[in-house]
Amino acid sequence: MKRSVLIYQSIALITLAVAFILLWSFSKGTPFVESGLTFDETAADSYAVLQENLYRMVPILLGSIFFSIAIAFYLEEWLAQTSWIYGIVAQQITILASIPSLLYGLLALYFFVLQSEKGSFFTHALTVVLLVMPITIQSTQMAIRGVDISVREAAFALGANRWRVVIDHVFPNAFSTIVAGICTAISRALAISALIIVVYFWREPALQSGDTFNVPSSVIVLLSSALLSSVISSFLEKKANLT
Amino acid sequence: MQSRKTDPILQVHNLNVWYGKDQILKNLTFDVLPKQVTAFIGPSNSGKTTLVRCFNRLNDLALNFKLTGQILYKGDKLYTPKLKASKISRQIGMIFQKPIPFHKSIYENVAYSARLRGVKQSTQLDTTVEESLRKAQLWKEVYKDLQASPDILSNGQQQRLCIARALAGAPEILIFDEPCEQLDAAETPKLEAIVQSLKNRYTLIFVTNKRRQAARVSDVAGFLYDGELVEFRQTEQIFTNPKDKRTENYVTGRLG
């Protein structure tokens, strides 16, 4: 797959998505950038709904991580790299992973905040999946490719089949790099969630006491766990590079 | 009994191998006899490694690999869709240029291939590990701490560990693909001694680009040059009385 094609496609996709968000906000007559995010729901209720939605996303998050790893292993180990399916899937994943997470944040903002009660569980899940899966798949693919070919060959030469080679050698050798990639993806998702909550909180006068702006505790938890997971990720990456 | 021993264990017939458009091996035909050391010599890029990788079907992993002709292992076709590559490589072991111990303890490294062929009992595993390490002449150096990581071993010891690991899988044929390439001078004679001691129980195929080493260890030798099997005869004859001009140039050091 040509690099330039990839870049143009991702630029086109990003432009389309930004255009969609801007058009949508203009058509509603709500200038997006100004503070006029006005809504008429009762605020306290929808904040609870938002939090509940966040918790409901945890199984989706874990599930999408699991599937991402499975997909990455299937792509790298079982699907021949010459096959056309590999080319298409790899291309789409690269495009999705190269979209800045801010854009996913805007999408999430649209689904979580601006439509907090209309937005279905499905749309929330889709945002999380889009945010986490491409990055996890890509980093897992890199981790698998990083396993020395000689280790594979040695195992194959002893009579191990593909499954055994993957379970006994490729996975343990790639493990810390895979976890590092997962941490990066999760910290991305957490940071975006924190951002959404802050924006949400900002526009709900009912949640603010007087003139002071109180940061919700969940934001602090989210941001600190995002920080923690990126620290773990960089530590694991360093460790993987050393061995 | 005598006649059975001379039945070839591997029969190669009109073997051609391509990687993409490059033809690596050109029309090879020869037989490998059991319980002998068969060496393949030749300059680098002459196709020695590609040839031996055909035997345990390790080439299947490469993209664009294409093979025509026939290889028979004990009279059965090696390349048929029905036969799984893993089944073949259990019977045809391989030692690589670089020693590649797994990230497991010494014991687990050797036990790994025994487990692959279905050994489960711990007592049986213990004896297999000890036997294999003894055959690879490593037992005396490591028996005190089998749970240690192979990282503490020297390059040569790691290579012998790889031999023990291959032996624990109970193969019929053992392929050595330039096994001394990365070893120091003191380790090379040890490895050659192991090859000699394994000769009467296993069929050994030995790839090397060191002429004298091939002369020392092998019974039969084949000289590969640019993908062609120029000569395939008794080692002694190849070295003392080569038929082909190219072989003569190679063994006398004028070529390659």
Side-chain angles (χ1 to χ4, degrees), chain A residues 116-135:
Chain A
S116 67
E117 276 180 313
K118 290 167 216 153
S120 65
F121 181 73
F122 176 72
T123 52
H124 296 169
L126 192 72
T127 315
V128 172
V129 164
L130 276 177
L131 200 59
V132 170
M133 276 186 80
I135 287 228

Side-chain angles (χ1 to χ4, degrees), chain B residues 17 19 31 38 46 80 115 128 135 153 183 203 219 230 235:
Chain B
V17 168
Y19 279 136
D31 291 344
T38 306
S46 55
T80 57
R115 288 210 175 95
T128 312
K135 277 185 203 162
L153 301 177
L183 306 188
T203 305
D219 304 306
V230 178
T235 306

Side-chain angles (χ1 to χ4, degrees), chain B residues 52-122:
Chain B
V52 293
R53 277 169 174 243
C54 289
F55 298 148
N56 62 354
R57 288 187 55 174
L58 211 54
N59 280 332
D60 292 17
L61 296 177
L63 298 171
N64 310 323
F65 166 71
K66 207 181 109 199
L67 177 145
T68 63
Q70 207 52 258
I71 303 177
L72 302 180
Y73 170 62
K74 292 180 168 176
D76 297 322
K77 283 180 187 172
L78 209 56
Y79 282 83
T80 57
K82 268 188 251 165
L83 195 61
K84 280 187 182 163
S86 58
K87 216 166 187 180
I88 288 305
S89 36
R90 251 168 242 185
Q91 291 169 57
I92 303 179
M94 192 166 197
I95 314 296
F96 296 86
Q97 243 182 52
K98 202 176 97 184
I100 313 153
F102 299 141
H103 286 294
K104 300 165 186 279
S105 66
I106 293 172
Y107 180 92
E108 282 302 320
N109 258 286
V110 182
Y112 184 76
S113 40
R115 288 210 175 95
L116 274 182
R117 67 177 160 96
V119 180
K120 286 198 182 87
Q121 268 187 314
S122 63

Side-chain angles (χ1 to χ4, degrees), chain A residues 191-220:
Chain A
I192 291 298
S193 309
L195 184 81
I196 292 164
I197 291 179
V198 167
V199 171
Y200 182 82
F201 189 79
W202 198 9
R203 75 168 179 84
E204 295 293 352
L207 291 172
Q208 295 170 23
S209 54
D211 290 335
T212 50
F213 182 76
N214 297 318
V215 178
S217 56
S218 53
V219 168
I220 296 172

Side-chain angles (χ1 to χ4, degrees), chain A residues 18-53:
Chain A
V18 171
F20 164 74
I21 290 165
L22 286 180
L23 269 179
W24 175 83
S25 60
F26 280 125
S27 71
K28 291 262 173 178
T30 48
F32 202 84
V33 197
E34 282 174 39
S35 61
L37 298 162
T38 46
F39 289 89
D40 49 353
E41 308 125 358
T42 46
D45 282 354
S46 39
Y47 182 58
V49 168
L50 185 70
Q51 262 196 325
E52 196 189 308
N53 270 331

Side-chain angles (χ1 to χ4, degrees), chain A residues 22-94:
Chain A
L22 286 180
L23 269 179
W24 175 83
S25 60
F26 280 125
S27 71
K28 291 262 173 178
T30 48
F32 202 84
V33 197
E34 282 174 39
S35 61
L37 298 162
T38 46
F39 289 89
D40 49 353
E41 308 125 358
T42 46
D45 282 354
S46 39
Y47 182 58
V49 168
L50 185 70
Q51 262 196 325
E52 196 189 308
N53 270 331
L54 270 177
Y55 294 134
R56 275 160 78 191
M57 284 306 114
V58 171
I60 300 285
L61 189 72
L62 295 179
S64 57
I65 286 170
F66 176 79
F67 271 108
S68 307
I69 294 173
I71 290 170
F73 269 99
Y74 178 71
L75 281 176
E76 288 303 309
E77 294 288 337
W78 277 276
L79 203 59
Q81 286 188 13
T82 44
S83 84
W84 58 274
I85 306 173
Y86 184 92
I88 291 174
V89 175
Q91 184 195 12
Q92 300 313 317
I93 289 168
T94 314

